[in-house]
Amino acid sequence: MDLSVSLGRLQLKNPIMVASGTFGYAREMEGIVDVPRLGAVLPKTITAEPRVGNAPWRTVETTAGLLNAIGLDNDGVDAFLENHLPYLAALGTSVVVSVAGRTEDDFVQLARRVGEREGVSAIELNLSCPNVSGGIDFGTNAKSCQSVVAAARAATDVPILAKLTPNVTRIDEIARGAADGGADAVCLINTVLGIAVDWRKRKPMLGNGMGGLSGPAIKPIALRCVHQVASAVDIPIIGIGGIATIDDVMQFLVTGASAVQIGTANYYDPTVSTRLIDELPSALAEIGATTVGQCVRTLNK
């Protein structure tokens, strides 16, 4: 059974990745997860300067997921390159670095600085975080998306992935913008904008007011987005949103994703990603496939 996948120029040993923001910098998981087995690791999103993030509360559990408003809390690109990347590069698996900026130039400079370092397999442009000002604008307009992707593409030779927001009317149009800008793949989806309310205090529960919903509640939305984008672009799709079981993985693959990222499930089951790798061969065999690619985009209309 061949579990390897190609995401444009990015080659992975298997399609099981861990989503940015849910796996720390991998050090936090090294005693629990056999990290080298993963298809790829995405550490926390980094920005040009350190960010303290949003005021608490930053997370609220919901009926079928998690609402968060972390606000891209991170130590900045300098600290990442000095303190975290050397460790990540020695893990024995692909490292995809997630970056976010307020301006197009921020993305360009981050792509250039990160892309010139050894051990970086790809760069994910976080064009879709709902908890900060600025960056989400690039993910809600096709022309802006195309422009920032093209600018980042010109700044580095490493593969570029564009992570898109579902909080738009036509995500297929945004994805076409990313493809036209030269993205190697698109990542679908980031969190869905939501709010939690303390009715006794008559206040939002999150310090930021609104936040991003993740987990099982958004899986049908993510699958819908993958389905729509698979009909609009030819570049690979990475599915994200409520993935916790092998059935979830297979649903995303046949709908149109060539790989998946595990996010919220890492919080309550840190070993979920390696278990899914173990279960994948049997699931592929069940539908007569000997490679991952043989089941991608095979959903009957």
Side-chain angles (χ1 to χ4, degrees), residues 51-299:
R51 287 182 58 92
V52 297
N54 292 324
W57 289 355
R58 292 182 171 189
T59 60
V60 174
E61 289 189 45
T62 66
T63 303
L66 181 71
L67 200 62
N68 89 84
I70 306 300
L72 298 183
D73 183 350
N74 76 101
D75 296 331
V77 64
D78 290 336
F80 174 81
L81 295 177
E82 180 178 352
N83 302 323
H84 299 298
L85 184 57
Y87 169 81
L88 291 161
L91 286 175
T93 191
S94 297
V95 177
V96 179
V97 180
S98 174
V99 303
R102 291 183 179 274
T103 66
E104 184 173 297
D105 188 61
D106 281 348
F107 281 101
V108 169
Q109 297 304 322
L110 286 164
R112 180 175 292 119
R113 293 195 61 191
V114 171
E116 66 186 10
R117 294 300 185 99
E118 293 291 329
V120 175
S121 303
I123 295 172
E124 181 183 76
L125 306 180
N126 185 350
L127 306 174
S128 51
C129 181
N131 307 313
V132 296
S133 62
I136 192 172
D137 298 335
F138 295 110
T140 57
N141 180 280
K143 290 184 178 179
S144 296
C145 181
Q146 178 179 347
S147 178
V148 71
V149 169
R153 165 78 287 137
T156 181
D157 292 330
V158 304
I160 293 290
L161 316 178
K163 188 171 185 179
L164 304 183
T165 177
N167 302 307
V168 295
T169 303
R170 293 291 303 272
I171 195 169
D172 53 337
E173 293 180 356
I174 312 298
R176 277 195 292 269
D180 291 343
D184 290 81
V186 289
C187 305
L188 311 173
I189 55 177
N190 209 323
T191 53
V192 179
L193 197 60
I195 188 171
V197 171
D198 184 329
W199 66 268
R200 291 181 175 86
K201 295 180 179 179
R202 303 181 188 183
K203 293 180 60 178
M205 296 177 70
L206 290 171
N208 193 53
M210 292 185 291
L213 180 65
S214 62
I218 73 167
K219 192 183 82 170
I221 299 171
L223 282 170
R224 182 263 299 171
C225 290
V226 169
H227 179 58
Q228 289 178 316
V229 171
S231 300
V233 302
D234 294 327
I235 61 174
I237 297 168
I238 301 168
I240 317 166
I243 301 170
T245 70
I246 193 61
D247 288 332
D248 298 332
V249 173
M250 296 301 294
Q251 288 167 16
F252 273 89
L253 293 179
V254 300
T255 301
S258 296
V260 297
Q261 292 181 17
I262 313 303
T264 301
N266 289 317
Y267 293 129
Y268 60 84
D269 184 4
T271 63
V272 61
S273 52
T274 50
R275 187 179 70 251
L276 294 174
I277 296 170
D278 291 336
E279 295 174 351
L280 185 56
S282 294
L284 292 173
E286 189 174 335
I287 59 174
T290 58
T291 70
V292 174
Q294 288 174 353
C295 69
V296 173
R297 301 195 187 204
T298 59
L299 186 69

